[in-house]
C-alpha cells in the first residue's frame, strides 16, 4: 500500500532540494532521506545527470534520479543475478 503522506513529503523535499542542486540529485537526496536508502556515493553519482544528462537537455535528470533510487532499493548485487535485473527493469517494481 502506498503511504501518500510519505510520498508527499518526499516530493516536497525533492522540490526544496532543487534550490541547491540539479534535479537528479534533488530527487536522489529526497528519496534517500525518505526511504533510508543509498549513501554519499550514490548522491555523488547523480551529479552528472543534472540538466538532462550533463546539461545537454537529454533524458530527464529527475527521472534518472528516481531510477537510481529504484536500483538502490531493488537492484541486483551481482551481475549474474539476472532474475533481479528482470524484476527491476523488465517487470517493474510495485512500490
Amino acid at each position: 500500500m502506498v503511504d501518500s503522506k510519505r510520498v508527499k513529503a518526499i516530493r516536497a523535499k525533492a522540490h526544496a532540494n532543487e534550490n541547491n542542486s540539479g534535479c537528479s540529485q534533488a530527487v536522489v537526496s529526497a528519496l534517500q532521506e525518505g526511504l533510508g536508502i543509498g549513501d554519499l556515493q550514490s548522491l555523488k553519482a547523480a551529479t552528472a545527470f543534472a540538466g538532462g544528462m550533463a546539461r545537454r537537455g537529454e533524458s530527464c535528470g529527475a527521472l534518472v534520479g528516481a531510477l537510481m533510487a529504484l536500483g538502490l532499493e531493488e537492484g541486483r548485487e551481482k551481475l549474474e543475478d539476472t532474475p533481479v535485473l528482470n524484476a527491476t527493469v523488465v517487470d517493474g517494481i510495485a512500490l
Side-chain angles (χ1 to χ4, degrees):
M1 183 170 176
V2 175
D3 181 344
S4 60
K5 286 184 180 182
R6 190 177 198 186
V7 170
K8 287 178 183 179
I10 292 170
R11 181 182 300 133
K13 182 67 174 176
H15 284 292
N17 287 347
E18 283 192 280
N19 295 323
N20 300 313
S21 64
C23 49
S24 54
Q25 282 188 306
V27 169
V28 167
S29 179
L31 287 166
Q32 283 180 320
E33 183 179 317
L35 301 176
I37 59 174
D39 56 16
L40 179 59
Q41 294 300 92
S42 52
L43 180 63
K44 287 174 67 174
T47 302
F49 299 121
M53 300 297 155
R55 296 189 183 191
R56 299 273 187 226
E58 302 293 331
S59 298
C60 173
L63 175 61
V64 172
L67 291 171
M68 287 178 65
L70 174 64
L72 287 169
E73 185 67 15
E74 300 293 335
R76 61 186 173 171
E77 295 179 7
K78 296 179 182 176
L79 292 177
E80 300 82 17
D81 198 348
T82 306
V84 174
L85 171 67
N86 291 338
T88 304
V89 300
V90 177
D91 300 332
I93 299 294
L95 298 176

